[in-house]
Amino acid sequence: MNRMRLVRRPWVLSILVTGVVAVAAGLFWFQPWQLVVDETVQEDLPAAAPVPAPPSTPPPPPTPLTPSTSASPSTSAKPAELAGGTLISHEHRTTGTVRLLRAADGSFVLRLENLATSSGPDVHVWLTDAPVKPGKDGWAVFDDGKHLDAGKLKGNKGNQNYPLPAGTDPAAYTSVSLWCDRFNVSFGAAELARHPA
């Protein structure tokens, strides 16, 4: 009986409603279930323009019984790797490698390989001009300078391709960060080491 009277009081009801709203807002904002949910995305290397394979032996001259074959077999060219690096952990344990690729058509693709990190709300793949620092020193440096958002992280595990917009100058960026926009923190990052042309 005393409990029912207590619940009917306006200030008690107000506290209960406020508590429910606060818990709901906290769940929406932090999304704690993301820490135990894995999403694996496996994408092949970006396709490149086919290049004709050199003939191993000249074909025999055509005869009336054997039709001529004008088309020669072709193989797919691998994209050129311009830069690459190894991911280090920041806010969450993160491993894997990053590769900056140029396809045969001249377009650029950022590729994550063997990625393993935590899921999180609003995590994006950024190309940046910031240095990669280990530990807490590297948590919040990537939004201080120039950055290019290559897109939302497709999954927290696997091999993934992120096509870069036309006109991107890859020389303007020195690192990659898995950046959580919601909390302004890097999950992990990699310094890009340039490959000789």
Side-chain angles (χ1 to χ4, degrees):
M1 196 72 157
N2 288 338
R3 284 184 189 168
M4 290 302 292
R5 284 183 192 161
L6 192 61
V7 170
R8 287 179 186 161
R9 292 187 181 175
W11 63 272
V12 173
L13 194 55
S14 228
I15 289 172
L16 288 173
V17 169
T18 302
V20 168
V21 168
V23 168
L27 287 173
F28 172 78
W29 189 254
F30 290 97
Q31 297 180 6
W33 57 88
Q34 294 275 7
L35 296 174
V36 294
V37 173
D38 287 331
E39 185 172 353
T40 301
V41 174
Q42 296 291 358
E43 295 179 331
D44 293 331
L45 270 171
V51 293
S56 55
T57 58
T63 66
L65 297 176
T66 60
S68 68
T69 55
S70 57
S72 62
S74 64
T75 58
S76 182
K78 290 184 179 178
E81 185 169 336
L82 306 177
T86 302
L87 288 161
I88 66 167
S89 301
H90 280 151
E91 175 68 18
H92 294 277
R93 177 168 161 67
T94 301
T95 59
T97 56
V98 297
R99 297 170 68 194
L100 183 57
L101 306 172
R102 183 178 57 225
D105 63 2
S107 63
F108 299 107
V109 175
L110 184 64
R111 180 166 170 83
L112 305 179
E113 292 186 338
N114 302 311
L115 173 67
T117 189
S118 295
S119 260
D122 210 19
V123 179
H124 290 247
V125 180
W126 277 13
L127 269 170
T128 82
D129 65 353
V132 175
K133 300 177 182 179
K136 292 184 179 180
D137 290 340
W139 282 8
V141 298
F142 297 100
D143 59 347
D144 293 341
K146 182 176 184 177
H147 67 271
L148 169 72
D149 190 336
K152 194 161 184 174
L153 188 67
K154 297 174 183 179
N156 65 311
K157 292 181 181 291
N159 301 307
Q160 303 159 26
N161 300 320
Y162 295 86
L164 302 180
T168 298
D169 177 12
Y173 304 99
T174 59
S175 60
V176 173
S177 172
L178 304 181
W179 183 259
C180 180
D181 260 350
R182 181 163 297 174
F183 295 106
N184 293 322
V185 70
S186 173
F187 275 29
E191 196 81 43
L192 286 173
R194 302 284 161 186
H195 299 317

